[in-house]
Amino acid sequence: MCLKILPFNKTLLKKDWKMTKWVAWLVAIVLFFAVTLGVINTYNNYQRTLKETEEHPEHYRKRVVDIDEDREYYEDFDIEEYKISLIDALDDGFKRLSGTEVFLIVFVPIAVATLLFGEEKRRKTFEVLSTMPFTRFEIFFNKVIIAFVNVFVPFLINALIMIVALGFSKGLREFYSTGLVMYWLGTNSFRLFVMLSFSLLFATLTGTSISQAVLTLIFFIFPIGFTLLLGMNMSVWGYGVYVIEEFLDKFGSYTLPAVLDRMEYIPIAYHIICGIIMLIGAKLLFDRNKLERSGETLEFESIETFFKVGVAVCTSLLTGVLFTGFGEGIMYSSGNTYTILGYIIGIALGWLAASYSIKLNRAKG
Amino acid sequence: MGVIRAKNIDKFLGGVKILDNVNLNVKQGSIYGLIGPNAAGKTTLIKTLVDIYKPDAGEVLIDKEPISDNKRIKSRLGYVSDFQYLYPTFKVKEIVEFYKGAYLLWNDERYSQLKKLFKLDENKKIKYLSKGMKTQLAILLNLSIMPNVLILDEPTSGLDPVIKKKVLNLIVDEVSTNETTVLISSHNLGELEQICDHIGIIHEGRVLLEESVDNLKSSVRKIQVAFKVEIPEEIKSNEHILKIESVGKIHQIIVRDNLDDVIENIKKYNPILLETIDMSLEEIFIHKMGGEGYVFEDIAL
């Protein structure tokens, strides 16, 4: 019943899938080689090691140095211990993100949202869509569906491969379980959901693919990056940074990068609610997007000043720290003249860069 | 069905008022030519009519219904833009499939007929098509959806003369067969003269006039006249005469509204030559604009 109310449109779904499906396949392949292949090969690797230890036990003997008794001896390879270490490593692998997974979870939602929104704005194909018999909500809704399919499907495919492998190999069941794979799929789906909602929000705030991708990434790291910048500046002026450390300890898990942490440290309900709010916000902003602003850095003129001030402040904080270091390097003193100079130059540079970016992409009437 | 109405439309772009209280009315089954100098606001008006731009004031009605987010109206609305923003990575046949899925009244038979006419390679990607080919594809797609209303923004720019002729014939056929309402903008007034029954002139964001081509042509005429002596002063001072161009003893007189009075007046001076010549739309446009107090030199056709 609910599905009937929702504005699924096969034509739009097919079109958006065609535009982005390559991302899903590429991510699925990367994930297969980075995660799945290693997991489903665990039993084979274990068997091979087992065989080799039987054929060449001398290669696997462990040299032990007993300092107390001042002697050294060789211990036989403990296959059980090895097995447990493999099980632990897999368990840890399913529960903690690898570098590749972090990369995929951060960048794939940004890329998919950019392809679905920023690229349509840049190429002005949104103009064609808006004259066709689709409502704005239909266009947005079907894009969101395809975005989620794109980011979830690669993880789902790989989870299925790992589960199917369990069915084919009895030995593999000694190392991991369907539950563990589902945990991996579930936790990563949660992370992807939050990250994609955030990316979609920025898709409706920006007018080009480049500004969309860059601003999404900047604001992803912004809460932590800004706090650290603030901390560095406080230490330049002689204030203790414990306030910042305390702040990060208390509130760090409520920032977006925290979703990349282990699940036990993440306030899951809070992030899911934020994700839903961001999705609703994206829908409301998309309704207010004006197509004449497609191709501009920002979709809304009203946030241009905020953007310029934000860039100017962040740049000044950064250049303040850089100039302090530079000043200390050449004058061997910790005077604040260079810091203040850094702030002034940073404000000017940041303001000019933000203004230039807006002016460069200013749409023509 | 198929009536286009713009009511008191204002539109700002980048803080500049591009459309200023625009009113426009296109009757069902007519071909309406929208003309005006560069940067007059033609494309902005067209984009507002097809719901790409939302008006800052006023509203656009098609078939008496607001166009904004209106699926029913848009399912019978064809739009060919001045630049074709079709998905560049799609093949022609894929974009055709996309349109076929989007428009319920898509007509395969029509598409096959038109495809033969335009000779498009269906396996070619859009990004490899020339500007002219893209325009042909857009026309083909928008005629295959069986539109009630067809809005075309300079559809013949970039087309070779043969295809241009085909496209104009197709538009006329479309109107006569399906009673489609067409609004077309072009800088080529010769083309518009061939097919349009109504003309709207837009300048600096305002619609200066809307009139049938017949009325427009009958309102401004040209008289070619020759006298044995100089042209009499009384003729020159006639208030209905817009302009007199003289080459030797032959004078071309542009007359607005009251042709018969002017001819009677000329006959009093026994001209050795007196004939009435039809004016082209382009000439009328220039003189009409002159009559409205606009400087010809500023109007780039």
Side-chain angles (χ1 to χ4, degrees):
Chain A
M1 185 64 190
C2 187
L3 284 178
K4 275 188 179 174
I5 297 166
L6 293 172
F8 284 101
N9 186 306
K10 210 170 85 181
T11 308
L12 284 173
L13 289 173
K14 270 168 76 176
K15 189 264 299 172
D16 287 332
W17 176 242
K18 192 182 151 35
M19 280 166 64
T20 52
K21 63 182 176 190
W22 63 271
V23 179
W25 300 134
L26 182 69
V27 175
I29 292 167
V30 171
L31 212 50
F32 178 78
F33 284 106
V35 178
T36 311
L37 192 62
V39 172
I40 61 175
N41 260 331
T42 310
Y43 184 62
N44 285 344
N45 292 339
Y46 170 71
Q47 285 294 324
R48 197 180 308 125
T49 311
L50 200 65
K51 202 176 162 192
E52 281 178 18
T53 53
E54 280 165 8
E55 285 172 4
H56 307 285
E58 67 282 6
H59 292 169
Y60 288 87
R61 278 195 190 126
K62 199 161 65 177
R63 184 168 153 250
V64 182
V65 181
D66 191 335
I67 301 165
D68 293 340
E69 294 189 15
D70 193 24
R71 68 182 182 109
E72 64 175 62
Y73 58 93
Y74 286 87
E75 262 181 10
D76 282 340
F77 183 72
D78 187 343
I79 197 72
E80 271 312 303
E81 193 186 308
Y82 173 62
K83 191 176 175 183
I84 290 166
S85 76
L86 282 179
I87 293 168
D88 286 346
L90 270 187
D91 187 75
D92 198 50
F94 278 120
K95 288 177 180 169
R96 195 201 299 265
L97 293 178
S98 67
T100 312
E101 286 169 308
V102 168
F103 179 84
L104 294 178
I105 287 168
V106 172
F107 287 98
V108 171
I110 296 177
V112 168
T114 304
L115 284 173
L116 285 170
F117 287 86
E119 274 299 276
E120 291 242 33
K121 287 175 185 174
R122 188 181 69 85
R123 294 185 192 278
K124 293 192 182 286
T125 41
F126 257 136
E127 289 199 0
V128 180
L129 280 187
S130 67
T131 66
M132 293 178 81
F134 305 118
T135 62
R136 276 219 163 185
F137 183 46
E138 266 182 314
I139 295 170
F140 177 79
F141 178 81
N142 289 282
K143 279 190 178 297
V144 170
I145 295 295
I146 288 299
F148 278 109
V149 167
N150 250 291
V151 298
F152 289 147
V153 158
F155 282 83
L156 184 67
I157 290 171
N158 280 277
L160 285 174
I161 293 171
M162 288 189 266
I163 292 168
V164 168
L166 281 177
F168 282 106
S169 165
K170 215 173 172 181
L172 209 49
R173 287 175 225 161
E174 293 171 30
F175 292 90
Y176 70 92
S177 62
T178 306
L180 210 51
V181 178
M182 292 309 287
Y183 177 87
W184 175 80
L185 179 65
T187 51
N188 284 336
S189 297
F190 153 76
R191 292 179 175 113
L192 288 164
F193 166 74
V194 179
M195 199 58 215
L196 185 59
S197 302
F198 181 73
S199 305
L200 290 171
L201 180 69
F202 273 84
T204 55
L205 276 170
T206 49
T208 67
S209 17
I210 293 175
S211 67
Q212 185 187 331
V214 170
L215 286 177
T216 312
L217 203 60
I218 287 175
F219 278 87
F220 169 68
I221 53 169
F222 180 77
I224 288 179
F226 185 75
T227 313
L228 290 173
L229 265 181
L230 214 58
M232 283 192 271
N233 279 272
M234 282 169 72
S235 73
V236 165
W237 292 93
Y239 294 100
V241 289
Y242 64 92
V243 188
I244 297 295
E245 281 165 6
E246 250 177 43
F247 179 82
L248 282 178
D249 278 347
K250 269 189 185 167
F251 299 105
S253 60
Y254 293 97
T255 62
L256 200 58
V259 296
L260 303 172
D261 209 344
R262 287 180 77 101
M263 290 307 285
E264 48 269 35
Y265 306 129
I266 309 172
I268 300 168
Y270 162 82
H271 282 290
I272 288 177
I273 291 167
C274 283
I276 293 168
I277 292 170
M278 285 189 284
L279 265 186
I280 295 168
K283 195 262 166 206
L284 295 174
L285 289 172
F286 186 72
D287 284 346
R288 284 157 185 77
N289 276 184
K290 288 181 172 177
L291 286 177
E292 58 264 35
R293 283 189 73 88
S294 289
E296 299 224 8
T297 304
L298 298 167
E299 270 287 348
F300 300 95
E301 208 171 343
S302 50
I303 55 172
E304 282 180 358
T305 311
F306 169 77
F307 173 67
K308 287 182 203 170
V309 171
V311 175
V313 169
C314 291
T315 315
S316 79
L317 288 175
L318 182 68
T319 47
V321 175
L322 292 175
F323 271 65
T324 307
F326 177 65
E328 282 171 0
I330 58 167
M331 294 176 73
Y332 304 105
S333 76
S334 57
N336 289 326
T337 320
Y338 275 87
T339 313
I340 293 165
L341 187 67
Y343 287 155
I344 295 167
I345 289 173
I347 281 190
L349 269 180
W351 183 272
L352 284 174
S355 305
Y356 180 70
S357 149
I358 289 170
K359 200 177 161 189
L360 188 71
N361 296 316
R362 176 68 76 214
K364 309 233 170 4
Chain B
M1 293 286 275
V3 180
I4 308 168
R5 277 201 76 187
K7 284 163 73 180
N8 310 108
I9 301 285
D10 283 351
K11 183 69 196 168
F12 289 84
L13 291 178
V16 180
K17 199 171 197 179
I18 306 295
L19 298 179
D20 184 7
N21 196 29
V22 168
N23 285 288
L24 181 132
N25 203 348
V26 184
K27 287 177 191 153
Q28 186 199 336
S30 77
I31 306 181
Y32 184 106
L34 183 66
I35 59 178
N38 290 324
K42 295 189 296 294
T43 297
T44 305
L45 176 58
I46 284 176
K47 285 187 174 182
T48 311
L49 293 177
V50 295
D51 199 31
I52 291 173
Y53 295 167
K54 306 280 177 199
D56 293 311
E59 65 173 343
V60 174
L61 302 173
I62 290 182
D63 287 349
K64 296 178 184 164
E65 285 182 35
I67 181 74
S68 181
D69 236 16
N70 191 327
K71 274 183 84 166
R72 194 188 77 80
I73 296 294
K74 286 182 183 179
S75 67
R76 302 295 305 270
L77 170 70
Y79 165 60
V80 177
S81 58
D82 47 353
F83 294 100
Q84 306 313 320
Y85 302 117
L86 297 166
Y87 295 93
T89 55
F90 282 32
K91 287 180 181 170
V92 170
K93 62 181 175 190
E94 288 167 338
I95 207 84
V96 169
E97 277 304 306
F98 177 53
Y99 268 71
K100 203 172 163 178
Y103 292 92
L104 292 173
L105 291 168
W106 174 270
N107 189 322
D108 268 330
E109 200 182 318
R110 186 106 204 264
Y111 169 72
S112 303
Q113 288 168 354
L114 293 170
K115 198 175 70 179
K116 280 179 205 156
L117 208 64
F118 288 124
K119 298 185 181 77
L120 280 165
D121 179 357
E122 281 191 312
N123 288 310
K124 217 168 187 179
K125 283 194 172 178
I126 307 283
K127 63 181 169 187
Y128 298 125
L129 296 179
S130 67
K131 183 182 185 287
M133 294 299 270
K134 281 183 197 161
T135 307
Q136 287 178 47
L137 175 61
I139 291 167
L140 188 154
L141 291 169
N142 282 284
L143 288 176
S144 302
I145 64 167
M146 305 306 284
N148 262 342
V149 172
L150 190 58
I151 297 181
L152 310 143
D153 191 359
E154 300 194 35
T156 53
S157 73
L159 298 182
D160 67 58
V162 177
I163 298 290
K164 205 179 273 190
K165 185 79 186 161
K166 278 184 190 174
V167 168
L168 295 176
N169 287 341
L170 275 172
I171 293 168
V172 174
D173 280 354
E174 181 67 31
V175 175
S176 57
T177 317
N178 302 321
E179 257 203 89
T180 306
T181 307
V182 177
L183 184 142
I184 178 169
S185 106
S186 175
H187 284 294
N188 190 332
L189 301 194
E191 266 172 30
L192 292 186
E193 191 175 0
Q194 287 172 42
I195 62 166
C196 291
D197 46 40
H198 282 78
I199 290 291
I201 298 177
I202 185 169
H203 185 56
E204 290 177 349
R206 287 183 295 125
V207 172
L208 298 180
L209 72 93
E210 285 186 286
E211 214 161 320
S212 74
V213 173
D214 289 344
N215 279 350
L216 204 59
K217 285 194 132 187
S218 62
S219 68
V220 184
R221 304 289 289 270
K222 191 192 283 182
I223 301 167
Q224 189 155 263
V225 62
F227 297 98
K228 283 179 184 165
V229 289
E230 283 295 301
I231 185 166
E233 279 304 313
E234 196 201 333
I235 293 175
K236 279 185 186 176
S237 60
N238 190 306
E239 60 177 340
H240 296 291
I241 292 177
L242 286 174
K243 198 177 180 186
I244 300 174
E245 286 171 354
S246 303
V247 180
K249 284 185 174 173
I250 298 186
H251 313 281
Q252 288 194 332
I253 304 170
I254 312 292
V255 183
R256 188 172 61 186
D257 298 331
N258 224 332
L259 181 75
D260 292 343
D261 279 2
V262 176
I263 289 175
E264 282 307 310
N265 198 16
I266 291 170
K267 278 179 180 169
K268 286 196 290 189
Y269 295 94
N270 299 320
I272 49 174
L273 169 74
L274 175 63
E275 60 180 355
T276 317
I277 302 167
D278 279 341
M279 285 177 73
S280 71
L281 188 60
E282 190 166 324
E283 288 171 305
I284 294 170
F285 175 76
I286 291 169
H287 291 295
K288 202 79 188 170
M289 295 290 276
E292 299 287 340
Y294 288 88
V295 184
F296 301 143
E297 286 77 8
D298 288 347
I299 299 159
L301 283 174

